[in-house]
Amino acid sequence: MNYKVFTTLILGLCSCTIGAQTNSIASETEINADIDPQVYLDSIKNSFVNHAAGARIEKRWLNELTNQDLFEEMEQDITEASYDNDEGEIDGLTTDLLKKRLALLNEKTPFKVEYNSALERVIKTFLKKRKRSFERLIGLSEYYFPVFEEQLSKYNVPLEVKYLTIVESALNPTARSRMGATGLWQFMYATGKQYNLDVNSFVDDRIDPLKSSEAAAKFLSDLYGVFDDWDLVLASYNAGPGNVSKAIRRSNGQKNYWNIRPNLPKETQNYLPAFYATMYIFEYAKEHGIKSESSPFQLVETDTIGVKKTISFEQISKLLDISEEEIEFLNPTYKLKQIPHVSGKNYCLRLPIDKIGLMASNEDKIYAFVDYEEAKKEKPHFSTETMLAESTNVKARYHTIKRGESVGLIAQKYGLTAAQLKSMNNLKGNLIYPGKKLLVGKSVVAQASGKGGYYTVQKGDSLYSISKKVPGVTIAKLRSLNNMNEGDPLMPGMKLRLN
C-alpha cells in the first residue's frame, strides 16, 4: 500500500467516515423483540465480516492512567505548594549541570528558558515527589501529544506548549477544577463557548481532545497577538489577560515574566516554573531514570466513523468485543456514555482501526441490533381511551353570587379575568346582585354518538397543550367543534369534543 496514502488515511483525527447510506438504514434482519437478547446478539456477530475478537486494554491499567489523583496533585502543586526549601542534589543534578541543560533547552524553543533558583527548586521537587507520576504521564503523552502538536503548528503556536496540558490537567480529559474549568486544556464554560466548544446534555467539547486543542491553539494565538511574549501568554492563560496587565503596571511597565512575577496571583507565580519544570523532565527523562508506561494506543492506530443512530458504549462493546473502558478512553467527550444522533450535526465514534473497519463493514447489522434493543424497551402506553372522556351531555357551570362578592373576586376564583367573566355573561359593568347566577364555564354542545370522543380539561391545560396530546386535533379544529372564540377560557372539568 502506498505509504503516503496510508498515513493520510490514519492520521485524519476526525475523519468522521460517513458512508453513502442514509440515516434511515434498512436492516437486513427483521426485528423481533421476542428473541432472546443473547441469541440475537450472537446471531448478529456470527454474521459479521472480518470479525476479530479481543480487547487490548486492561481496565486496571486504564484506570491507573486516567484517575483524578494526578490532576488533583498537580492542581495542588500549582495553587498551594511552596518551593522555598532547597531539595539538594537529586539524581546527580547539580546547579551547574542544570544551568547547562536549561541553556540547551533555551536554544531549541522560543520560550525564555533561563536558570533561576525558583525554577531549580520546582524541578528538584518534581523529581523527588513526582517521578512515578511522570512515568504515567509520558506514557499518556504518546497518544495525546500528536493531537496537540497538529493544532499548535496549525496556528503557529510553539510545540512546547503541549507541556501546558500536563500542568493544566495531568492529561486527564475529564479533569474538572474546583472553579469548573474542564478538560485537557481546562476551559471555563464561557471561554469554551467563545471558541466554539459546545456543551450540552450529551456532549462537552471541552473534553474532546481535538476540538479543545484547536480552541486552545486559537486562544493562545490570540493572546500572543496581545502580549507578543510567550511567557506572558502562558501567564495570562492561567490568570487572565487583565491580571497580567495589572502586574505589568504594578511593575513599572516591566514585561519580563520573572520581573512581574511578585505582582501576579500566587497560582500564576507557580504556573510558569511548573511548566518549565515539566518541559525539563520530559526532555531529560532518560537522564533521570524515568521510563515511560507505554500507551495502549498510538494516534495513528485509531480512526473515526460517523454514527447514524444513537448508540451506547455498552452496545458498541457487546457488538465489537471492545471494553467500555477502552471506548470511554477514546471518546471522553460523550457525557452519557452514548453517542447521539442529531439532525444537522455529525457525531463521531473513535475506535482502533480494526474495529472501525469491522463497524464500517457491518453497519446495517449493528444498527439492526440497536433497533432490536430499542424495541425491547418498555414503552409508555398512549391510547385515546385513557386520555379522552366520552360523554353525551355536558352542562354549563354557574356560580351563584353571594353577598359581598365582586366580579373580580368571582373571576379569580375560577381562573378568569374580570373582562372574560363579563364577556361570558354580557355584563356592561361591574354591578352584580346576590342570588343571581353567572356563567363561569364554557358550555360544550355534545352529539350523542358512540364514536364521539371527548377530552376532560385538566388544570393547566390550554388548547395548544391539548392539541399536542391528541394526534390529528388542531387548535382551530377544537375551537370549531366546541363553538369557541379566541380568548374563551378553559376550566378544569370541561369536556371538549374532539370529532
Side-chain angles (χ1 to χ4, degrees), residues 96-111:
D96 287 341
L97 180 57
L98 178 60
K99 287 180 178 179
K100 290 179 182 179
R101 289 178 176 176
L102 291 177
L104 289 174
L105 278 181
N106 189 55
E107 293 176 0
K108 299 189 295 183
T109 175
F111 285 94

Side-chain angles (χ1 to χ4, degrees), residues 73 104 132 148 202 342 374 388:
E73 288 173 4
L104 289 174
R132 171 63 177 159
F148 305 155
F202 292 105
V342 179
E374 182 65 27
L388 307 180

Side-chain angles (χ1 to χ4, degrees), residues 307-325:
V307 300
K308 299 179 177 69
K309 288 188 178 181
T310 298
I311 187 169
S312 69
F313 288 4
E314 181 184 9
Q315 290 169 328
I316 297 166
S317 175
K318 288 190 293 189
L319 285 160
L320 302 183
D321 288 325
I322 178 172
S323 72
E324 288 189 51
E325 291 77 23

Side-chain angles (χ1 to χ4, degrees), residues 416-436:
L416 304 169
T417 65
Q420 287 173 331
L421 183 61
K422 287 192 287 185
S423 175
M424 290 166 61
N425 292 274
N426 297 316
L427 295 176
K428 303 299 182 184
N430 294 320
L431 185 61
I432 54 176
Y433 300 95
K436 297 289 185 180

Side-chain angles (χ1 to χ4, degrees), residues 2-53:
N2 183 285
Y3 177 79
K4 290 184 178 179
V5 173
F6 179 73
T7 303
T8 302
L9 172 67
I10 59 180
L11 280 179
L13 184 60
C14 195
S15 58
C16 291
T17 308
I18 300 177
Q21 298 97 323
T22 61
N23 290 341
S24 178
I25 297 178
S27 171
E28 289 184 358
T29 307
E30 183 179 354
I31 297 173
N32 186 343
D34 295 329
I35 300 176
D36 178 81
Q38 190 59 48
V39 171
Y40 188 78
L41 176 62
D42 290 341
S43 70
I44 287 283
K45 291 168 66 175
N46 287 337
S47 68
F48 277 175
V49 178
N50 295 326
H51 179 66

Side-chain angles (χ1 to χ4, degrees), residues 22 51 80 170 229 248 344 356 373 450:
T22 61
H51 179 66
E80 301 173 12
D229 180 284
I248 291 173
I356 287 289
E373 290 212 321

